[in-house]
Amino acid sequence: MKLKKQVTVCGAAIFCVAVFSLYLMLDRVQHDPARHQSGGNFPRSQISVLQNRIEQLEQLLEENHEIISHIKESVLELTAHAEGQPLLLPYHTPNGSWVLPPESRPSFFSISPQDCQFALGSGGQKPDLQMLAVASVLPFDNQDGGVWKQGFDITYEPHEWDTEPLQVFVVPHSHNDPGWIKTFEKYYADQTQHILNSMVLKLREDPRRRFIWSEISFFSKWWDNISTQKRAAVRRCDPTVWLGCRPLWAQRHHALPAETRQPDQHADPEGTLRHQEALRCHSQPGVHVETDLGYDVPHTCGPDPKICCQFDFKRLPGGRINCPWKVPPRAITEANVAERAHLLLDQYRKKAKLFRSKVLLVPLGDDFRYDKPQEWDAQFLNYQRLFDFLNAHPGLHVQAQFGTLSDYFDALSKRTGIVPGMKPPGFPVLSGDFFSYADREDHYWTGYYTSRPFYKSLDRVLEAHLRGAEVLYSLALSHARHAGLDSRYPLSDYALLTEARRALGLFQHHDAITGTAKEAVVVDYGVRLLHSLVNLKRVISNAAHYLVLGDKEAYRYDPAGPFLGMDDMRLNQDSLPEKTVIKLDTSPRFVVLFNPLEQERLSVVSLLVSSPRVRVLSEEGQPLAVQLSAQWSSATDMVPDVYQVSIMTRLPALGLSVLQLYKSFDSHTTLMSSVHLHLHGRDLPVRPREVFPVRVVPATSDDFCLDNQHMQACFSGLTGLLQSVRWAGEEHKLSSEFLIYGTRSAKDKSGAYLFLPDGDAKPYAPKEPPVVRVTEGPFFSEVASYYQHVQQVVRLYNVPGVEGLSLDLSCLVDIRDHVNKEMALRLSTSIASEDTFFTDLNGFQIQPRRFLKKLPLQANFYPMPAMAYIQDKQSRLTLHTAQALGVSSLRSGQLEVILDRRLMQDDNRGLGQGLKDNKRTCNRFRLLLERRTTANKVQDSRPISFPSLLSHMTSMHLNAEVLAMPVTQEKPAPPALRSFQPFSGTVPCDFHILNLRTLQAEDESLPSAEMALILHRKGFDCGLEAKHLGFNCTTSQGKFSLGSLFHGLELGFLQPTSLTLMYPLGAASPNSTVIHMDPMEIATFRIHFG
C-alpha cells in the first residue's frame, strides 16, 4: 500500500512538472517583446531573432525531457528496490582489485562417474597401426626409390594369381576444383558444363562404361540450367554407372574445417541429397589409400610413371599435352593390343602387391578431364580394347573393367566374404592421420595451415552465424506455425539459409579455406562469404523479432525497415567488422541479446553508445551495473562521441534477452574504467576526453598485474606482454613473445602451400618500443600492446564461471610491408611437456603430436582448427583458437602458432602466385590453464586425449559470441518485448546441438514442416580440476529426453537417420523421445512439432 502511494505521488509530480514547464515555455514565446508579425514578411534581422527563439524553445523542451526522464528513473528505481533486493554494485578493495557482489543464482555441476570411463580407455577397439608410433620408427631417410623416387622396387611371381584372379576396377573421374586458378563460375563456363554434357551422351554409348562425379556444387548449377529432356536422360541413366561415393558440395580440405560444427559440410546437404536421392546414389564405407604422390594417370596405374603415362590416351601425339618421359601413348590396335595389355598388366600386378586383397582400384583421370568428346572416345575406346583382350585370355588370370567406388568396395566385400560395411578379416585398423606430409624431399605442406588467415577467420564467423540462423529460424517458424501466424513470417528467409549453406560449403574446398587460390578467386570467395553473412544477420534479426514480441499478433514483417539492426557491419569483403553505435536518448533504446549456445551463459556484453551518460535496465526494469570505457582509434586516441558500455548478464540457453538503455544523468550505477598509458619515452600526443581521465606514464615502468576472482595475470612493464599467471594459489610461468620466420635464400622458397624457413625463428624487433595501455574495471581489465606490425590485447574477465577462468587474447596483425616473412606467437611455460603436444582434428578429436628431431622444423607443424595443448603431471595449458592456424611445440613447455605469412614467390605447386594480398587480420584466442588431478604414464601414453568439459565450453564461448541487436525503432516506443527461452529443461553438459535445421519443401526455396536435429555427445577428460565452473547442467550417461525439451512446442515424431538424412535408422515414433548416444557420437534425427 505504501509503495502504491509513493508511485502515485511521484507520478503526480511528473505530471505537474511537465504541465508547468510547458506553460512557462508557451508564456515566454507569447510575451516575447521582440516577436511581431508584418503580413508574413520579416526583415532578415527579425528572422534571425525568430530562429534564436525556436532554438531556445527546442533547448527548453530537451531540458524538460531530461527532468522528466530523471524523475521517471527515480520512480523506476524506487519501485525496483521496493519489489526486490537493492542493487549491489561491484566495489574496490584497498589493494585496488574489483570485487563483484555474490551471484544471486548458484550454479550446479555434476558428472556421473560412468561418464568418466570413456576417456580412461575402458572400451573401444585397439588399432593395429598407430601413425604416431609409425613415425617414431620410420627413418625418413629419403632414399632413391628408382622410378618411384620415394619408394622401392616391387617384384612378384608370375603364378601368384593362378588360384585367385586379379580383379581390376578402372575408375574414370574428373576432379573439378570449384575455384583455384579460375573462379567457380569461370571453371563452370569454360570446362565443367562440357564434362557433364558429354557424360550424358558418352555413357549411353556403351553400358560397360562408368564414371564418378563428386562436386555437387557444379552438378547443382548444371542441373538448374539444363533442359527437361536432358534431366530425363540423366534420370534414365543408372546412377551406379556414374555417381561417386558420398558426393560433396566441394572436395573439402581435411586439415582446416571444424568438423563438429560442419557435420554435413554445410554444403547445402539437402541440395546434395536431393540429387543423390533422385539418382538413387548409394555409398559404401571403407578406405582405399593410393600409393603414389598424385592421382593423375601417370601415378595411378602402377609404380612406373613412364609406363603409366603411355596409357593416358589424352596424351596421344597431336594433342595439347604429352608425356614428360618422352615415350608417348599409342592407340590400341589389333596389331599392338597384346604387347600393350601385357605391359599394363605388369603395372597392375605390381600395384596389387601393395594391397591385402586381389581386388585393385585404378583411378583414370585428373583435374578437369573429359571436357571434350575426343577425350571420352580416346580413353574409353582404347581401354575397352585392352580389357577385352585381358578378359579373353584366362591364362592371364585377370578380370579388368570400368567401375565406380561402389563397384570396388562391393567386390572387395564379396572377395573377403563379409557383409558390406564390415571389417574384412586380416585387414588392420589404423589410428591417427598423415599430417604433416611432404610430396618430395623436405617440401612439407605446412604453410597453408596459416595462409590467408583473414579468410580462415571469416569462414569461422560465417559458420557460427549459419548455425545460429538455422536454429533461430527453425524455432521462430515452429512457434509461428503453432500460433497460426506462419503466413506473416518471412518464409523467403529459407532461400537465404540455403544460399549461405552453399557459400560456406564451397569455401571448405581444398583450395579455398587453405588460402591457396589466385588472388581474384580469393576475392570471389570473400564476396560470397560476406554476402551470406549479411543475409544471415537478417535471418537472425527477423527470427528474433518474432520471438521477443510479447504480443505475437502485433508482428509485421517489413523488409524495407527491419525491426532489429545488426550487431556489426563490414564495409567490404576484406574489412574487419565495425560494431554498431547505439544512439541514446531520454526515451528507452532496446537491445536484444542472442545466446547461440545450448547452455545458459553468464557473460560480459559490450555495446557502443553515443553518450557516456547511460543507464541500463534489465527486461524487468532492474538497473544494472555498467562498466564505462573509452573506444580507442589508436594507442593514444579516443573515438569522439563513442563509448563502450559493458554489463554482466545471464542469458538463457539458445535464447533471447532484452535490455533497455537510456541517456541518463544518474551515474551511481556507472563504474568508470581507469586507464594508464605507458609511452616508454615516445613523444606521442595523448588526447583524452573529459569523461575519461588518463594517467600517462612517459618512461619505462615496472612489471604489473591484473586479477579477477580466479587468477592473477602479470605483464612486462617494458613490452606489455604476458609473463606469468597466478592460479589456484600457485604461480606459473606463462610468457608470450612475437617471432619472425624468413624463407630460404636459394632454390625452393616458402609459398602458399610450403613452409621452407631459413632456420629457427628470430625475435620480432620493431623500430620503436610499444605503447602499452592498461584498462581496469569491475567486469574486465585488459592490457593492449601496440607494436608496429601487431596489436595484442590480453583481457581478463571478472566473471564467475567459464569466461573468468581463461585469458582472452587477440592479435591484430598487419605485415603488408614485410617481404618473405612469417609472424608467429610463442607461449613459453614451466610445463614439462618434453616432446609431446596435442592438436585437434577438425574440432572433433584430439591427436597427440611429437616433436621429431630427425625431421626438419617445418615438418613439426600441424593444423590447429580449434585447439592445441601441452601438459605434464600437474598442469595443462590449452590454446583455443577462433580460426584455423598452424601450430607446433618446438621445445618443452612451448606452444607456437603462426599468425600470418607474406611471401613474394610461387612455390611451384600450380598456383603461380605468392601470398601478397595480406589483410589486417584479427586472430582471436583463449588461454586456459587447468590443474590435473589424476595423471599417469599409461594414460598419457595413449594415442588419444580429450579436453575437459570446461575446455569444451571455453571453445564454444570463443566461437559462438553473444549477438547484440538494437531495436531500430526509436520513437514511438516499440511494442512490449520479453525474453525468449526455448527450453523447458537443461541440455546435458556433454551434449552439443550441432544444428536444428528446417528441411526444404517440394518447392526448394520454401521450408517444410520437418527439421533435422543434429547432436554431438562430447568425449571429455574428468582428470582436470572442476571448481567454480559456473555450469548449470549435469551429465546423464548419454540419455537425453527430447519430448519435453522445447518449451511451448510438442514433439510430434522423432526418427533417427543417417548423418546426411538419406537413410532412416529406425521407425518414427511419437512416444519414444528419449535417446541414447555414446561419447564422441554424432547423430541426426528427423523431428516434427505437432
Side-chain angles (χ1 to χ4, degrees):
M1 195 70 183
K2 183 178 180 181
L3 174 62
K4 289 184 178 179
K5 288 182 178 179
Q6 290 175 336
V7 173
T8 304
V9 170
C10 291
I14 294 172
F15 178 80
C16 292
V17 169
V19 172
F20 185 68
S21 300
L22 288 171
Y23 172 80
L24 287 177
M25 285 186 286
L26 290 171
D27 183 71
R28 289 180 61 177
V29 171
Q30 290 174 354
H31 295 90
D32 190 342
R35 181 179 177 273
H36 72 275
Q37 294 179 336
S38 178
N41 296 320
F42 290 88
R44 185 167 299 176
S45 60
Q46 294 296 326
I47 293 175
S48 177
V49 170
L50 180 60
Q51 287 176 336
N52 290 336
R53 292 293 179 265
I54 292 172
E55 290 174 0
Q56 291 175 10
L57 180 60
E58 289 175 343
Q59 184 177 353
L60 286 168
L61 283 168
E62 179 67 23
E63 291 174 357
N64 182 56
H65 277 305
E66 291 177 354
I67 292 169
I68 295 173
S69 175
H70 188 77
I71 296 173
K72 185 166 68 173
E73 288 169 9
S74 300
V75 173
L76 286 171
E77 187 169 343
L78 181 64
T79 305
H81 288 176
E83 293 178 347
Q85 296 295 323
L87 175 65
L88 299 177
L89 296 175
Y91 62 91
H92 256 123
T93 61
N95 64 2
S97 300
W98 282 97
V99 176
L100 299 183
E103 258 283 280
S104 58
R105 289 186 56 190
S107 62
F108 59 91
F109 175 59
S110 174
I111 296 181
S112 171
Q114 292 90 333
D115 290 329
C116 296
Q117 296 304 309
F118 179 77
L120 297 176
S122 56
Q125 186 175 21
K126 292 185 178 180
D128 301 294
L129 291 171
Q130 212 295 315
M131 289 307 298
L132 193 65
V134 172
S136 66
V137 299
L138 280 179
F140 293 96
D141 49 3
N142 195 25
Q143 293 182 5
D144 188 348
V147 294
W148 271 33
K149 294 302 179 188
Q150 291 177 313
F152 47 86
D153 290 331
I154 301 175
T155 60
Y156 61 87
E157 296 297 327
H159 301 289
E160 286 188 37
W161 292 272
D162 287 0
T163 58
E164 190 179 1
L166 180 64
Q167 190 172 8
V168 180
F169 290 95
V170 174
V171 182
H173 69 96
S174 181
H175 172 65
N176 282 233
D177 295 291
W180 181 37
I181 306 303
K182 304 176 185 178
T183 65
F184 173 83
E185 299 289 345
K186 184 68 172 169
Y187 271 136
Y188 176 81
D190 291 352
Q191 291 165 283
T192 303
Q193 64 171 328
H194 304 303
I195 299 170
L196 292 170
N197 288 333
S198 294
M199 177 193 71
V200 178
L201 298 174
K202 294 298 179 180
L203 290 183
R204 296 169 63 190
E205 292 180 2
D206 189 334
R208 295 171 295 179
R209 294 181 178 181
R210 299 290 185 271
F211 187 70
I212 67 169
W213 186 264
S214 291
E215 292 85 359
I216 298 298
S217 53
F218 278 127
F219 183 85
S220 177
K221 182 175 179 62
W222 175 73
W223 183 265
D224 291 341
N225 289 319
I226 62 176
S227 65
T228 304
Q229 292 81 1
K230 188 172 286 188
R231 288 186 183 184
V234 174
R235 287 195 172 101
R236 285 194 299 270
C237 182
D238 184 353
T240 60
V241 168
W242 65 272
L243 196 59
C245 181
R246 195 194 175 205
L248 298 174
W249 197 252
Q251 287 297 300
R252 67 188 300 165
H253 198 278
H254 291 281
L256 302 174
E259 191 80 44
T260 53
R261 287 184 285 272
Q262 303 176 35
D264 47 30
Q265 195 181 304
H266 282 259
D268 181 29
E270 294 167 67
T272 304
L273 298 176
R274 180 177 72 251
H275 297 302
Q276 289 188 28
E277 289 170 349
L279 300 163
R280 304 185 309 282
C281 170
H282 297 276
S283 61
Q284 291 285 350
V287 175
H288 172 93
V289 180
E290 275 300 303
T291 56
D292 210 338
L293 62 84
Y295 54 83
D296 59 349
V297 180
H299 295 96
T300 50
C301 90
D304 193 337
K306 181 179 179 181
I307 294 175
C308 290
C309 193
Q310 298 174 48
F311 295 90
D312 183 359
F313 296 102
K314 183 177 181 176
R315 303 176 193 250
L316 285 167
R320 296 180 59 186
I321 61 172
N322 51 38
C323 287
W325 295 271
K326 309 298 183 184
V327 183
R330 286 184 281 162
I332 305 302
T333 65
E334 288 187 13
N336 68 10
V337 65
E339 178 267 330
R340 296 277 91 189
H342 280 89
L343 185 63
L344 180 60
L345 178 59
D346 177 67
Q347 290 297 302
Y348 287 167
R349 287 174 171 176
K350 288 178 176 177
K351 181 174 181 177
K353 291 288 292 181
L354 299 170
F355 295 89
R356 292 176 181 262
S357 80
K358 295 180 180 179
V359 181
L360 184 65
L361 184 148
V362 179
L364 180 66
D366 201 348
D367 289 2
F368 294 96
R369 283 301 191 93
Y370 303 94
D371 61 340
K372 293 180 172 57
Q374 293 85 346
E375 182 181 0
W376 286 86
D377 293 337
Q379 302 286 25
F380 280 97
L381 293 175
N382 283 292
Y383 265 95
Q384 193 59 58
R385 291 171 189 142
L386 290 166
F387 296 161
D388 290 344
F389 178 87
L390 293 171
N391 297 336
H393 291 77
L396 295 177
H397 303 288
V398 62
Q399 179 188 352
Q401 63 198 66
F402 294 116
T404 65
L405 297 180
S406 293
D407 294 333
Y408 167 74
F409 283 112
D410 286 343
L412 182 62
S413 298
K414 184 177 180 181
R415 184 69 68 95
T416 55
I418 61 161
V419 176
M422 302 296 291
K423 175 181 175 293
F427 279 49
V429 174
L430 182 142
S431 170
D433 57 31
F434 298 98
F435 295 119
S436 290
Y437 52 80
D439 56 357
R440 61 175 179 262
E441 299 174 348
D442 61 351
H443 294 190
Y444 281 86
W445 290 44
T446 53
Y448 73 81
Y449 299 162
T450 299
S451 296
R452 292 185 169 122
F454 178 90
Y455 294 98
K456 289 175 167 64
S457 175
L458 182 57
D459 162 83
R460 194 66 59 85
V461 171
L462 181 61
E463 177 191 293
H465 277 74
L466 178 56
R467 175 185 172 272
E470 297 265 28
V471 172
L472 219 55
Y473 177 87
S474 297
L475 292 171
L477 183 57
S478 297
H479 281 276
R481 282 172 170 159
H482 184 73
L485 297 174
D486 49 315
S487 60
R488 299 187 190 177
Y489 195 79
L491 302 181
S492 57
D493 280 1
Y494 190 78
L496 302 181
L497 290 172
T498 301
E499 182 184 3
R501 232 181 276 137
R502 293 180 173 186
L504 185 61
L506 194 71
F507 193 69
Q508 305 316 300
H509 168 55
H510 57 232
D511 282 307
I513 195 170
T514 53
T516 54
K518 289 275 192 184
E519 291 179 6
V521 179
V522 173
V523 171
D524 181 66
Y525 284 134
V527 169
R528 292 171 184 267
L529 295 179
L530 178 60
H531 178 73
S532 294
L533 181 61
V534 172
N535 285 342
L536 290 176
K537 288 180 181 291
R538 173 180 157 189
V539 174
I540 291 173
S541 65
N542 287 341
H545 174 198
Y546 178 83
L547 292 171
V548 297
L549 279 181
D551 178 12
K552 298 294 191 286
E553 293 289 342
Y555 177 76
R556 298 292 184 275
Y557 169 63
D558 181 6
F563 182 76
L564 294 174
M566 297 182 182
D567 57 322
D568 60 29
M569 290 285 290
R570 295 176 185 248
L571 297 178
N572 300 296
Q573 56 88 23
D574 57 356
S575 301
L576 290 171
E578 297 180 5
K579 293 185 72 170
T580 301
V581 180
I582 302 170
K583 185 180 179 182
L584 294 183
D585 200 346
T586 51
S587 56
R589 291 297 309 274
F590 292 88
V591 177
V592 176
L593 304 178
F594 173 42
N595 171 25
L597 301 183
E598 65 277 338
Q599 299 293 342
E600 188 180 66
R601 178 178 193 162
L602 184 64
S603 291
V604 172
V605 176
S606 294
L607 308 170
L608 296 185
V609 297
S610 60
S611 171
R613 304 180 184 278
V614 60
R615 182 177 175 84
V616 182
L617 303 180
S618 68
E619 178 188 350
E620 297 79 17
Q622 288 278 359
L624 300 176
V626 168
Q627 177 176 336
L628 187 66
S629 310
Q631 181 72 0
W632 298 85
S633 58
S634 69
T636 58
D637 290 329
M638 298 181 187
V639 180
D641 302 323
V642 178
Y643 308 88
Q644 186 182 90
V645 171
S646 302
I647 54 106
M648 186 170 67
T649 182
R650 186 176 293 277
L651 303 171
L654 268 178
L656 301 160
S657 290
V658 180
L659 296 178
Q660 304 174 52
L661 281 72
Y662 294 86
K663 187 175 183 181
S664 168
F665 290 88
D666 183 8
S667 60
H668 81 278
T669 59
T670 301
L671 306 167
M672 306 293 291
S673 298
S674 64
V675 178
H676 292 68
L677 268 178
H678 303 263
L679 300 181
H680 297 119
R682 295 175 63 177
D683 185 17
L684 294 172
V686 179
R687 290 180 283 272
R689 305 290 165 188
E690 181 179 341
V691 180
F692 297 104
V694 176
R695 182 187 169 196
V696 177
V697 183
T700 301
S701 58
D702 296 331
D703 294 352
F704 57 92
C705 300
L706 301 177
D707 57 22
N708 67 8
Q709 54 192 291
H710 303 294
M711 71 176 83
Q712 182 183 67
C714 296
F715 301 81
S716 164
L718 180 62
T719 66
L721 302 182
L722 191 62
Q723 295 294 297
S724 65
V725 171
R726 187 170 185 82
W727 173 79
E730 299 177 0
E731 185 165 348
H732 301 261
K733 177 189 175 184
L734 178 50
S735 63
S736 63
E737 61 179 320
F738 294 106
L739 307 168
I740 296 292
Y741 282 100
T743 190
R744 294 175 179 177
S745 57
K747 295 186 178 180
D748 296 291
K749 296 180 173 64
S750 296
Y753 296 93
L754 304 183
F755 179 33
L756 296 171
D758 58 357
D760 292 341
K762 299 172 179 62
Y764 169 61
K767 295 179 181 179
E768 296 178 297
V771 174
V772 178
R773 188 179 67 239
V774 182
T775 303
E776 294 184 73
F779 297 139
F780 76 85
S781 299
E782 68 180 24
V783 178
S785 305
Y786 285 75
Y787 289 87
Q788 182 181 356
H789 300 98
V790 60
Q791 301 167 21
Q792 184 188 81
V793 178
V794 179
R795 178 175 285 195
L796 189 60
Y797 286 104
N798 193 20
V799 177
V802 176
E803 293 196 357
L805 291 165
S806 59
L807 288 171
D808 190 274
L809 172 65
S810 65
C811 297
L812 180 59
V813 180
D814 186 354
I815 57 170
R816 287 176 291 181
D817 63 351
H818 276 23
V819 174
N820 277 332
K821 302 294 182 185
E822 307 189 32
M823 176 167 278
L825 171 67
R826 177 180 291 168
L827 302 170
S828 299
T829 74
S830 53
I831 294 174
S833 58
E834 298 179 348
D835 61 355
T836 302
F837 60 109
F838 303 82
T839 68
D840 72 289
L841 284 174
N842 306 108
F844 179 62
Q845 66 191 58
I846 301 296
Q847 189 72 26
R849 308 295 187 187
R850 191 163 293 140
F851 176 78
L852 299 175
K853 293 181 180 179
K854 60 186 173 184
L855 293 180
L857 183 148
Q858 63 268 24
N860 286 288
F861 275 80
Y862 293 88
M864 178 183 62
M867 69 180 75
Y869 57 78
I870 54 175
Q871 66 183 22
D872 58 17
K873 292 182 180 180
Q874 287 77 39
S875 305
R876 174 186 290 180
L877 176 71
T878 304
L879 176 66
H880 292 276
T881 181
Q883 58 285 309
L885 298 168
V887 72
S888 186
S889 176
L890 303 178
R891 290 177 180 80
S892 179
Q894 289 185 355
L895 275 175
E896 186 172 308
V897 57
I898 308 295
L899 299 176
D900 201 359
R901 327 174 62 227
R902 183 169 176 83
L903 302 160
M904 315 311 288
Q905 62 283 315
D906 181 43
D907 53 11
N908 301 311
R909 293 306 184 275
L911 178 59
Q913 284 184 349
L915 290 176
K916 297 184 284 187
D917 57 344
N918 300 74
K919 318 296 180 188
R920 293 178 71 244
T921 301
C922 186
N923 294 311
R924 297 172 47 245
F925 309 97
R926 281 282 178 90
L927 277 172
L928 176 64
L929 185 63
E930 297 175 281
R931 175 187 288 172
R932 300 187 73 194
T933 55
T934 58
N936 58 71
K937 288 185 177 180
V938 175
Q939 184 177 347
D940 287 352
S941 64
R942 294 177 61 230
I944 197 165
S945 185
F946 296 93
S948 65
L949 267 179
L950 173 61
S951 192
H952 280 300
M953 295 287 188
T954 301
S955 180
M956 289 194 293
H957 274 242
L958 175 62
N959 284 281
E961 294 186 298
V962 175
L963 299 184
M965 298 166 282
V967 175
T968 56
Q969 179 178 331
E970 298 181 34
K971 294 178 182 179
L977 307 179
R978 66 184 183 192
S979 63
F980 168 69
Q981 300 187 35
F983 299 147
S984 56
T986 59
V987 176
C989 285
D990 54 344
F991 274 78
H992 174 44
I993 298 177
L994 287 168
N995 216 335
L996 178 63
R997 177 191 301 115
T998 300
L999 302 180
Q1000 70 183 25
E1002 288 297 321
D1003 182 342
E1004 298 170 9
S1005 64
L1006 295 176
S1008 73
E1010 286 191 356
M1011 282 167 280
L1013 176 64
I1014 308 176
L1015 301 174
H1016 172 216
R1017 187 181 173 202
K1018 296 184 281 276
F1020 60 92
D1021 187 348
C1022 297
L1024 293 110
E1025 190 172 66
K1027 292 182 179 179
H1028 315 297
L1029 300 184
F1031 299 171
N1032 282 303
C1033 59
T1034 64
T1035 63
S1036 57
Q1037 301 178 47
K1039 293 181 181 179
F1040 190 6
S1041 178
L1042 299 174
S1044 58
L1045 177 65
F1046 295 94
H1047 181 72
L1049 296 173
E1050 181 182 352
L1051 194 62
F1053 79 86
L1054 173 75
Q1055 182 179 42
T1057 73
S1058 61
L1059 185 64
T1060 57
L1061 295 161
M1062 281 190 62
Y1063 311 111
L1065 301 180
S1069 172
N1071 302 319
S1072 178
T1073 57
V1074 177
I1075 65 167
H1076 180 273
M1077 291 175 59
D1078 293 325
M1080 300 299 289
E1081 184 181 352
I1082 299 176
T1084 302
F1085 303 87
R1086 282 183 183 266
I1087 66 172
H1088 180 275
F1089 292 119

